[in-house]
Amino acid sequence: QVQLVESGGGSVQAGGSLRLSCAASITSFSNTCMAWFRRAPGKEREGVAVINKYGATTYADSVKGRFTLSRDNGKAITYLQMNSLKPEDTAMYYCAATYGTTACRVQASFPYWGQGTQVTVSA
């Protein structure tokens, strides 16, 4: 049924950039709330950013000014552009999706998840 596939992870030096992609095989992609989460070893899962059906975005304080979330409804892809990467950004990054426009925030319940893509930032 629903499939979310992340790509674009890799290893970069501090200050570098990566663009993560989440290709969504899902009905009515344009009506979804899309989010990115990350989990680093020894830390709780953290909501990174979320984008609603209208394109409005919210970001965790830790990534504001450095990360940009966008979506291409024609291609059913959401992108996370990550600039000025820091070692503390090292984590497994996960794409998640849900429906509805009333609660598009990282605290929402996301029934659909990708398998993740690893991001490693060296000092």
Side-chain angles (χ1 to χ4, degrees):
Q1 184 66 15
V2 174
Q3 295 185 36
L4 305 178
V5 181
E6 303 96 333
S7 62
S11 180
V12 299
Q13 296 183 3
S17 298
L18 286 173
R19 188 181 72 166
L20 306 184
S21 299
C22 175
S25 178
I26 187 172
T27 301
S28 300
F29 175 80
S30 62
N31 292 324
T32 63
C33 165
M34 303 294 298
W36 285 92
F37 295 80
R38 65 185 181 185
R39 176 170 285 172
K43 301 190 67 176
E44 299 292 328
R45 186 179 67 194
E46 176 188 18
V48 176
V50 65
I51 184 168
N52 70 11
K53 62 188 295 184
Y54 304 109
T57 55
T58 57
Y59 301 91
D61 288 340
S62 58
V63 306
K64 283 182 179 176
R66 301 187 298 118
F67 290 11
T68 302
L69 182 60
S70 62
R71 64 191 298 160
D72 185 333
N73 288 337
K75 297 181 178 180
I77 298 175
T78 184
Y79 302 98
L80 184 65
Q81 179 67 47
M82 307 186 296
N83 299 326
S84 302
L85 284 163
K86 305 174 180 180
E88 49 263 48
D89 294 318
T90 296
M92 184 73 74
Y93 283 72
Y94 298 90
C95 176
T98 189
Y99 289 104
T101 185
T102 62
C104 190
R105 54 186 186 267
V106 295
Q107 294 84 2
S109 296
F110 289 87
Y112 311 114
W113 291 80
Q115 294 300 304
T117 186
Q118 179 67 40
V119 171
T120 303
V121 185
S122 60

